[in-house]
Amino acid sequence: HRHLLGIEQLKPQDITQILDLAESYVDLNRQAAKHADVLAGLTQINMFFEASTRTQASFELAGKRLGADVMNMAMQASSIKKGETLIDTALTLNAMHPDLLVVRHPHSGAVDLLAQKVNCAVLNAGDGRHEHPTQALLDALTIRRAKGRLHRLNVAICGDIAHSRVARSNILLLGKMESRIRLIGPPTLVPAQFADMGCEVYDDMREGLAGVDVVMMLRLQKERMDGGFIPSEREYYHRYGLDAEKLALAKPDAIVMHPGPMNRGVEIDGTLADDINRSVIQDQVEMGVAVRMAAMELLAGNLAGSRVPA
Ligand code: CP
């Protein structure tokens, strides 16, 4: 692969290859000296057109730990503010010969479009409600480490599925790896298309959580609701918020996940989110650095043969 645009383009063996390489970086990241210079001499540019804490920080750390020259574009201070288009911005940066471009954008498809215009590797750091492939990969690594496998697990993805690129990428990945997926949320936030993709759909948390191995909670993505359905937070928490009582219906060893940012008391009880016996939320963050190191190393290895003239 030349780019990492979505889970949709990956085969199960591609996913396993990234996760296996990421395992070695989990070990490296726990050492005092964290450097492996496999990207030495390469230039990585991070372009985030939307807010981020985890993804932006972990892509930056991943690049630095692999020895790349990493530049974070301050998009709020860029010439986008003066009306320059996304494509012109990308072409401008492309002329400076980056090797890896990491892009987050509020519009679905924007990162794919940009990838067609540049001659370096592009990694999608989240585009609209479309895909967030490195999030699904880090979630998969977290699940694999906790459960020992990715196949034949029952995974519940709960909440605002409709607006979530995290849900879409996870549904694609877990489906490819032969896990069973349950989607739980208010009918207005669970699109019918996912039932057609083989997911079981529930609007009752207690029914949906019964016997699952993994409970993945999602944030209400109010910024993507276009002024439409925004549930009352109190009512939402009552029906769809994860607390110890609802979690008791899952398997006794079920793990609790959340991609972050998290709204405590809206989709998840804060005490449960902090319970290290059940919650793997901080493990997800840790796996994020390792997975991004692995993804960038593998793409960099493909760069030499795939370059086209600027
Ligand atoms: N999970 C995730 O993408 O978090 P950020 O928006 O903070 O990057």
Side-chain angles (χ1 to χ4, degrees):
H1 294 273
R2 186 167 164 228
H3 306 296
L4 177 58
L5 299 176
I7 299 297
E8 193 154 22
Q9 292 88 32
L10 300 184
K11 298 186 183 74
Q13 57 264 39
D14 299 325
I15 293 165
T16 302
Q17 183 187 24
I18 297 169
L19 301 188
D20 288 349
L21 182 57
E23 282 286 357
S24 67
Y25 286 125
V26 175
D27 297 335
L28 181 76
N29 288 333
R30 288 179 179 179
Q31 293 173 17
K34 300 174 176 61
H35 266 249
D37 284 337
V38 298
L39 299 185
L42 300 186
T43 300
Q44 171 190 339
I45 301 180
N46 297 335
M47 298 167 71
F48 280 68
F49 295 89
E50 215 185 50
S52 171
T53 296
R54 281 146 285 267
T55 312
Q56 201 272 337
S58 59
F59 264 118
E60 180 175 355
L61 278 180
K64 286 181 170 164
R65 288 181 185 173
L66 293 182
D69 297 315
V70 184
M71 186 177 80
N72 292 304
M73 281 293 296
M75 300 319 302
Q76 297 304 320
S78 74
S79 286
I80 290 270
K81 286 277 168 214
K82 301 176 191 164
E84 190 164 49
T85 66
L86 169 68
I87 297 305
D88 283 336
T89 304
L91 290 174
T92 300
L93 292 172
N94 188 53
M96 300 180 198
H97 300 292
D99 302 285
L100 298 151
L101 212 49
V102 178
V103 186
R104 170 171 287 191
H105 199 278
H107 295 147
S108 304
V111 183
D112 292 45
L113 181 69
L114 186 149
Q116 293 165 27
K117 308 286 182 186
V118 298
N119 65 342
C120 60
V122 175
L123 293 101
N124 182 1
D127 64 322
R129 56 177 86 173
H130 176 230
E131 281 238 36
H132 192 351
T134 55
Q135 178 70 46
L137 289 161
L138 75 87
D139 289 338
L141 186 59
T142 308
I143 295 171
R144 197 175 77 167
R145 288 169 66 91
K147 297 285 158 201
R149 65 182 197 277
L150 284 173
H151 60 279
R152 284 190 289 108
L153 292 169
N154 286 304
V155 181
I157 304 179
C158 313
D160 180 3
I161 318 278
H163 301 99
S164 176
R165 55 194 176 212
V166 175
R168 222 182 100 76
S169 290
N170 266 301
I171 291 166
L172 289 166
L173 187 150
L174 292 164
K176 284 175 198 257
M177 303 314 275
E178 298 180 13
S179 270
R180 288 183 287 268
I181 303 156
R182 300 185 193 175
L183 304 179
I184 313 174
T188 44
L189 295 180
V190 182
Q193 70 182 95
F194 290 121
D196 303 337
M197 287 165 63
C199 300
E200 292 176 25
V201 176
Y202 297 84
D203 68 0
D204 184 300
M205 279 287 268
R206 289 174 175 81
E207 278 178 34
L209 290 178
V212 298
D213 301 283
V214 177
V215 184
M216 192 180 287
M217 301 308 299
L218 299 171
R219 181 177 62 89
L220 280 177
Q221 315 253 307
K222 290 184 181 170
E223 71 275 26
R224 289 189 228 290
M225 289 187 186
D226 304 326
F229 172 73
I230 298 184
S232 129
E233 289 185 357
R234 191 200 292 224
E235 175 69 7
Y236 184 83
Y237 181 67
H238 177 66
R239 295 197 57 180
Y240 297 104
L242 188 67
D243 57 17
E245 187 216 322
K246 293 191 190 103
L247 181 64
L249 297 160
K251 282 198 181 146
D253 62 350
I255 55 169
V256 174
M257 306 181 74
H258 194 305
M262 165 166 74
N263 289 134
R264 292 167 184 262
V266 180
E267 70 270 3
I268 189 166
D269 170 57
T271 309
L272 181 55
D274 296 334
D275 177 359
I276 55 166
N277 294 312
R278 305 307 296 272
S279 165
V280 294
I281 294 170
Q282 299 308 327
D283 301 297
Q284 290 173 266
V285 177
E286 183 185 6
M287 295 310 125
V289 182
V291 152
R292 288 165 180 132
M293 291 167 88
M296 289 199 291
E297 179 182 344
L298 290 168
L299 287 181
N302 295 336
L303 278 175
S306 64
R307 284 195 180 279
V308 293

